[in-house]
Amino acid sequence: MVQSNLLSAMLEAISEVYEDEADPQGPYTARTLRVTPLQTGFEQAPPCLLDEGIRTVLAGSEHPVARAARKAHHLLPWGSNPVEGSTEEDIAAMISVLTLMGPEGPIPAPDVRLGLVYMRPESYYPLHLHDADETYAIIAGQALWTAGDDTRMRGAGDMIHHPSLMPHAFRTGSEGFLAIWRWSGDINTHSYVFIEDHKTEVQA
């Protein structure tokens, strides 16, 4: 019961973030998360390869989702990028993804995807795009974020929207970052591709 309450608290905190998103797909995702039951229980999860970094960046944030994720961390099955087959080989060493909701997720949903993503410090995730409409909400750490023609530092509390096929990339500094993400629209994974990249640089 305690474990179930910890997970429910984290999911509710995530719902509250997307309930406030300006794009209508944010509130729709929040409602879907609230009304769709888990199909599998979350038990004690083994640590992932980037577990220490995830714990460290969460410990430095007081964002409501970060606080809830800290408490539920031992239950969360962090894994590899769900589009890993479409990514460069070194991506798996810098990023870990927790899928919560989607067609194959523990919370089944045919038309949205939702989860958490962690990226380790001093790393660069190259410019890429996909068919899905996407919104990140950073809950811990920060990154230099490129979304189309806009490049700026983003940190806990920032929400970044990527319309379908908008190129985006991120570079971390000494902290790394952890964010929630959602996909809507055409949520296929085969459209996920890397594109020619000018290598975003951190501005002094």
Side-chain angles (χ1 to χ4, degrees), residues 122-143:
E122 308 297 348
S123 299
Y124 180 68
Y125 198 99
L127 207 61
H128 60 287
L129 52 78
H130 39 71
D131 288 341
D133 179 280
E134 175 180 59
T135 298
Y136 277 87
I138 300 178
I139 64 169
Q142 62 179 359

Side-chain angles (χ1 to χ4, degrees), residues 145-182:
W145 207 281
T146 294
D149 294 329
D150 179 23
T151 297
R152 67 178 101 166
M153 291 300 299
R154 303 282 194 165
D158 285 336
M159 187 172 279
I160 311 105
H161 181 65
H162 307 139
S164 175
L165 300 178
M166 172 183 277
H168 49 286
F170 6 93
R171 182 186 293 278
T172 56
S174 60
E175 292 182 281
F177 78 85
L178 201 150
I180 27 179
W181 55 270
R182 65 154 192 86

Side-chain angles (χ1 to χ4, degrees), residues 2-23:
V2 172
Q3 292 183 346
S4 175
N5 289 344
L6 292 175
L7 186 60
S8 295
M10 186 188 76
L11 296 178
E12 178 57 28
I14 292 171
S15 296
E16 289 175 2
V17 170
Y18 283 118
E19 189 65 52
D20 290 337
E21 185 184 351
D23 187 280

Side-chain angles (χ1 to χ4, degrees), residues 4-63:
S4 175
N5 289 344
L6 292 175
L7 186 60
S8 295
M10 186 188 76
L11 296 178
E12 178 57 28
I14 292 171
S15 296
E16 289 175 2
V17 170
Y18 283 118
E19 189 65 52
D20 290 337
E21 185 184 351
D23 187 280
Q25 286 300 314
Y28 175 77
T29 301
R31 290 192 297 272
T32 302
L33 181 59
R34 284 176 169 141
V35 302
T36 309
L38 272 168
Q39 293 299 299
T40 57
F42 280 29
E43 303 296 337
Q44 186 84 22
C48 71
L49 292 176
L50 300 177
D51 186 75
E52 182 178 354
I54 293 171
R55 289 180 179 275
T56 298
V57 75
L58 282 175
S61 174
E62 288 304 313
H63 189 286

Side-chain angles (χ1 to χ4, degrees), residues 99-134:
T99 298
L100 292 168
M101 186 166 67
E104 309 86 16
I107 303 171
D111 56 351
V112 293
R113 296 182 189 271
L114 173 76
L116 300 176
V117 59
Y118 165 74
M119 187 167 158
R120 74 184 188 190
E122 308 297 348
S123 299
Y124 180 68
Y125 198 99
L127 207 61
H128 60 287
L129 52 78
H130 39 71
D131 288 341
D133 179 280
E134 175 180 59

